[in-house]
Amino acid sequence: MRVLGIETSCDETGVAIYDTDRGLLADALYSQVAMHAEFGGVVPELASRDHTRRLLPLIQQVLDEAGMARSELDAIAYTAGPGLVGALMVGASTAHGMARALAIPVLGVHHMEGHLMAPMLEDSPPDFPFVALLVSGGHTQLVEVRGQGRYRLLGESVDDAAGEAFDKTAKMLGLAYPGGPQVARLAETGDPKRFRFPRPMTDRPGLDFSFSGLKTHTLTTLKQLERDGQLDEQARADVARAFEEAVVDTLVIKCRRALDDTGLKRLVMAGGVSANARLRERLAHEAEKRSAQVYYPRGRFCTDNGAMIALAGARRLLAGERDAIGQMKAVPRWP
Ligand code: KG4
Ligand code: ZN
């Protein structure tokens, strides 16, 4: 089955074609990051308008890349939520319109299931069951995954998502949006011993996270440095480093606990923050200590993309799932 995947939930227009026998045939992405950067965050109305401009040309691009005609598509999968409602509607209505015209099945999929399945795009994909750490701009969750759709939420953030904390810290440090990669870059030159930031909610049992206190701690530290006339480039790097260490340490502690609690030996990492090099390094080390395996997608499939939606949708479409004709779904909040 050759499935066209469409992702438009936020600020990336992602399109891909996934073949259930041969794997990924083509994949293309248009990022709106530069357009939103001057506003310091995603402007929903601009995002929707840009998706309408980019989507059809990108679909043509992946068809050309795969050497396929539209009529050779067997099904379409699109992100139905969660996300920005206007942005979601662009993908949903395009998917439903095309599917109707081509008389093929169409299915709306959950954005986070896409992230969760992204490591399956790689050469040695994880087998079920596994523990998944989903860390993006909107979510921080630990999930026990027994199969596609067989999920048990082990823990999640009670306030900010890890990526959101990275983005807000970047703003405090005067770095551009999206901040995660920039904070990580600045942290490379920081001294890990100068500051020690709190590891929220690690001193009590459970697998929930909290990152808003850490954000406040970062702000207080920066203000104090400024008052003392010590907020130079090195101090900013040291703060970035302390912040990154605290987030990574918190995530590692909870992953370790999740593996112990479930007795599972496979850990899947996905979502934008899983691109963080320090997090990967620390988790690889932890996994080795307990002879567990860590899986994550290649960099470009950590953040939003069409390939993960094509793959997650293809597996469900193959099992016979589809939207009813005309029942396009755009669900901004979808647990
Ligand atoms: O999954 P994603 O592309 O979009 C959402 O669905 O949210 O994740 C984007 C998030 C942003 O908050 C971004 O700052 C963060 O992932 N991120 C990183 C890194 N790369 C992206 N955070 C830390 N380190 C990175 N290298
Ligand atoms: Zn995402």
Side-chain angles (χ1 to χ4, degrees):
M1 188 183 246
R2 282 178 292 190
V3 179
L4 174 71
I6 297 175
E7 155 64 37
T8 62
S9 68
C10 190
D11 59 348
E12 331 264 358
T13 318
V15 180
I17 300 172
Y18 182 81
D19 184 320
T20 50
D21 294 324
R22 291 162 57 209
L24 194 63
L25 302 184
D27 139 70
L29 185 81
Y30 181 84
S31 174
Q32 307 176 351
V33 160
M35 180 179 78
H36 298 293
E38 66 175 294
F39 304 98
V42 178
V43 184
E45 177 67 19
L46 294 182
S48 316
R49 285 167 186 257
D50 210 49
H51 285 306
T52 60
R53 269 193 295 272
R54 309 288 171 191
L55 188 52
L56 289 174
L58 274 182
I59 291 172
Q60 190 56 52
Q61 187 181 322
V62 290
L63 284 166
D64 292 346
E65 215 175 283
M68 283 171 61
R70 271 196 295 275
S71 58
E72 290 176 287
L73 289 170
D74 298 305
I76 301 177
Y78 64 95
T79 301
L84 303 169
V85 72
L88 289 167
M89 282 173 71
V90 176
S93 50
T94 303
H96 267 266
M98 266 186 83
R100 189 74 184 271
L102 297 169
I104 56 176
V106 58
L107 180 68
V109 304
H110 196 292
H111 179 77
M112 295 312 288
E113 180 168 89
H115 277 303
L116 191 96
M117 302 302 253
M120 306 217 168
L121 291 161
E122 302 307 329
D123 284 339
S124 14
D127 286 324
F128 298 117
F130 53 76
V131 169
L133 172 69
L134 297 175
V135 269
S136 70
H139 295 80
T140 302
Q141 300 183 322
L142 274 163
V143 187
E144 181 183 328
V145 181
R146 295 268 155 201
Q148 189 169 9
R150 295 176 60 203
Y151 309 128
R152 185 164 73 94
L153 186 64
L154 300 171
E156 64 183 333
S157 179
V158 298
D159 42 54
D160 292 356
E164 195 179 353
F166 264 100
D167 294 337
K168 288 178 178 168
T169 297
K171 223 172 202 170
M172 293 179 217
L173 287 164
L175 301 169
Y177 174 86
Q182 310 240 23
V183 171
R185 206 167 306 130
L186 184 60
E188 279 172 24
T189 53
D191 173 3
K193 296 205 184 69
R194 179 155 174 204
F195 304 108
R196 187 181 161 83
F197 285 13
R199 274 68 172 146
M201 293 179 84
T202 52
D203 54 350
R204 54 183 121 151
L207 292 166
D208 284 339
F209 306 87
S210 162
F211 291 108
S212 75
L214 184 56
K215 183 182 64 190
T216 313
H217 189 92
T218 308
L219 187 62
T220 314
T221 308
L222 285 169
K223 280 192 170 150
Q224 187 62 48
L225 284 164
E226 197 166 23
R227 268 198 299 272
D228 298 344
Q230 290 177 357
L231 192 55
D232 55 11
E233 197 51 29
Q234 187 57 50
R236 290 170 67 252
D238 296 342
V239 167
R241 183 64 191 263
F243 167 80
E244 186 184 50
E245 282 300 315
V247 174
V248 168
D249 213 32
T250 304
L251 294 172
V252 169
I253 290 168
K254 300 282 168 149
C255 284
R256 202 157 60 198
R257 217 176 265 176
L259 289 173
D260 289 344
D261 289 0
T262 57
L264 295 175
K265 290 281 181 196
R266 282 183 287 265
L267 178 70
V268 162
M269 250 205 304
V273 183
S274 69
N276 186 276
R278 184 77 185 125
L279 178 62
R280 288 183 175 206
E281 185 190 327
R282 288 282 314 279
L283 278 177
H285 183 68
E286 282 301 325
E288 201 180 292
K289 280 203 288 192
R290 55 196 63 223
S291 48
Q293 292 282 320
V294 188
Y295 300 85
Y296 39 75
R298 73 194 83 161
R300 71 182 266 128
F301 296 151
C302 282
T303 45
D304 294 348
N305 65 87
M308 67 184 194
I309 300 304
L311 175 127
R315 295 172 60 111
R316 286 185 177 271
L317 283 154
L318 209 53
E321 277 186 57
R322 54 255 294 102
D323 289 355
I325 288 177
Q327 294 289 302
M328 70 162 220
K329 286 186 294 191
V331 191
R333 282 167 204 277
W334 184 358

